[in-house]
Amino acid sequence: HVQLVESGGDAAQAGESLTLSCAASEVMFAGADIGWYCHTPGKECELVGTQSRGGSTEFVDSGNARLSISQNSAKSTVFLRLDNLQPEDTAMYGCAADFSGAAINGGTHPLARDFRYWGQGTQVTVS
């Protein structure tokens, strides 16, 4: 049973950086399509960015240079780094993964339903 566990969320001051982690149990992320989402109360859960099974990363806001997605060499943990945090970055951030090979295929961004496995999220609060 695949479980995703996020960590790294915290209260931060504007201008600081945070690195969020997403660790997978039972499996490695090699061969997985990965998505990072954010959820703000009163809004729908929004896709932030993705990393395909081939290693390509994309962000919904392609002009946002404050975000980066990476993995550790063991392919056991995926990271979302947020630089120069702003109050509008305040949200619950969560990761999602899918191993079917169908979630990310170029073109449009994947939908939430394209990912099979989800974590519980980690809260980022920026003031």
Side-chain angles (χ1 to χ4, degrees):
H1 178 63
V2 177
Q3 288 185 311
L4 305 181
V5 179
E6 300 94 336
S7 61
D10 204 349
Q13 297 293 316
E16 294 181 339
S17 298
L18 282 176
T19 298
L20 310 181
S21 301
C22 173
S25 65
E26 306 296 333
V27 296
M28 298 292 109
F29 280 116
D33 290 325
I34 298 157
W36 277 97
Y37 285 79
C38 67
H39 183 228
T40 304
K43 295 184 179 180
E44 292 187 4
C45 193
E46 298 179 338
L47 179 67
V48 174
T50 61
Q51 185 171 66
S52 72
R53 55 198 179 279
S56 298
T57 58
E58 290 191 13
F59 297 94
V60 173
D61 181 359
S62 61
N64 190 342
R66 301 185 298 114
L67 305 177
S68 60
I69 295 175
S70 60
Q71 294 189 25
N72 64 351
S73 57
K75 303 293 184 182
S76 61
T77 306
V78 178
F79 306 99
L80 173 67
R81 180 175 172 87
L82 303 94
D83 290 319
N84 190 21
L85 285 162
Q86 301 299 312
E88 53 265 34
D89 295 322
T90 295
M92 180 74 77
Y93 288 82
C95 65
D98 190 83
F99 297 87
S100 71
I104 298 175
N105 285 294
T108 59
H109 293 297
L111 301 175
R113 64 172 182 256
D114 294 326
F115 293 97
R116 179 172 181 181
Y117 302 103
W118 289 79
Q120 293 299 308
T122 186
Q123 178 68 38
V124 172
T125 303
V126 185
S127 59

